[in-house]
Amino acid sequence: MTDQPAKRVDLETIVSLSKRRGFVFQSSEIYGGTGSVWDYGPLGVELKRNVKDAWWRSNVWQRDDMVGLDAAILMHPQVWVASGHAEGFTDPLVECRNCNSRFRADHLEGDECSTCGAKGSFTEPRTFNLMFKTFMGPVEESANQVWLRPETAQGIFVNFENVVTATRRKLPFGIAQVGKAFRNEITPGNFVFRTREFEQMEIEYFVKPGTDEEHHEQWLNARLQWYKDLGMNPDRLRLRRHDPDELAHYAKDTWDIEYEFPWGWGELEGIANRADFDLKQHQEHSGRDLTYYDQEEDKHYLPYVIEPSGGVDRASLAFLMDAYTEETVTTASGAEETRVVIKFHPTLAPIKVAILPLSRNAKLTPKAKEVHELVRRRWATQYDDTQSIGRRYRRQDEIGTPLCVTVDFETVEQDNAVTIRDRDSMTQVRVPISELVATLAERLEA
Ligand code: ATP
């Protein structure tokens, strides 16, 4: 095997692999597809769950100062008036007079339409609200209008008082939430990078005013480290601070964690200091006292908020693209071939272990099934007894399965042991079946 310099995978390769192997499919494809909406297939759903679980473990289970929440998508319409979204969650929209294509004015480069090539054909920008509207109940009138949430954050703010009362938390503490959000993006694109329905992983971390900058810095470091700990190439990660004119209406200071996609640097997660903007707004609009009582100081005040807000879909795409590798290997017959390996961190790999009997055979099959039962109690597995063992290894490499377990005639006739084959080094070790689960755990969960 020769090591190749890390070559960037292009988006087309990832889109086609995603479809072929079952990571991501176009939504409603048999009807011609729905614009920029995607469905996660059997492997994609595992990857996405692993990303969310890793985030939850690191941000909720493994911290003393965090709790979870799962708020509803539909909320009282006043929430979006208070948060500023009803009025201000807009993008500037222009239309080409020649071909009617629509673009975000702030994403344009020059005055040429990228669809039809017409020059100077754009209309004046008009503001376009990105929130999806719908109606609550059977009557479609404005009094019943609600929105699909464009971020999960507001579900946390409106539950701040409930969580403080229920958990008796003292500052600083945070609330974490994972859930769907919807934005009627003018120009979605780049596969699952920008879509109209997506999932967010958001934290609102409440702190005493004056300590916000220090906590902001801690969260920047913690969140950047999370991506690195899950194997993302640090050279393709960076922190970027927003310019003052780029800051959202609620933000005192914002940094983005960006990943270098093939099309350039793109945001994976925004980490904003929202000061007391949201609680203050909700206090005003709801008429409820949302201040926090600081016992030590015998004072009521509105906490400041640090918000690390990431996207599940963007993170999953970045992990997939980052882990994609092509290597040249020499086969037993001396020929050179390309081995596609997705070098997922074991925590993220959709399938952790593949059970591969050497062949389909009356002797091997019962034993292999027995081994499979042992392993699948704990991990996502695949059982595969079709085609040659070499091909089956390649298939597992291509979906990023860290370990393959082969059951052969020696297993049955001699040693009751199996071979574990490592995805990255392709080395093999033999272990007794009695030690298999412990050995796999060491390799997968270290
Ligand atoms: P962008 O500038 O790319 O539109 P944003 O700054 O509006 O993103 P935020 O409001 O900070 O995004 O949302 C937090 C996170 O939610 C983003 O970092 C991203 O991971 C995810 N996200 C936002 N919009 C989308 C979308 N349309 N599709 C997929 N993920 C998204």
Side-chain angles (χ1 to χ4, degrees), residues 33-72:
T34 318
S36 297
V37 186
W38 301 92
D39 297 339
Y40 287 80
L43 295 178
V45 65
E46 298 287 347
L47 171 62
K48 209 154 75 121
R49 283 175 66 135
N50 292 341
V51 168
K52 291 185 277 188
D53 286 350
W55 184 88
W56 195 264
R57 265 200 307 277
S58 135
N59 291 298
V60 181
W61 292 3
Q62 291 169 2
R63 293 184 63 120
D64 296 328
D65 55 352
M66 293 283 300
V67 293
L69 182 78
D70 185 12

Side-chain angles (χ1 to χ4, degrees), residues 7-18 191 261-263 317 320-321 324 326:
K7 201 180 92 189
R8 298 312 314 275
V9 58
D10 54 54
L11 189 58
E12 235 168 77
T13 307
I14 289 294
V15 173
S16 113
L17 174 114
S18 291
F191 200 28
F261 288 97
W263 59 86
L317 177 63
L320 176 61
M321 298 191 91
Y324 181 95
E326 287 180 11

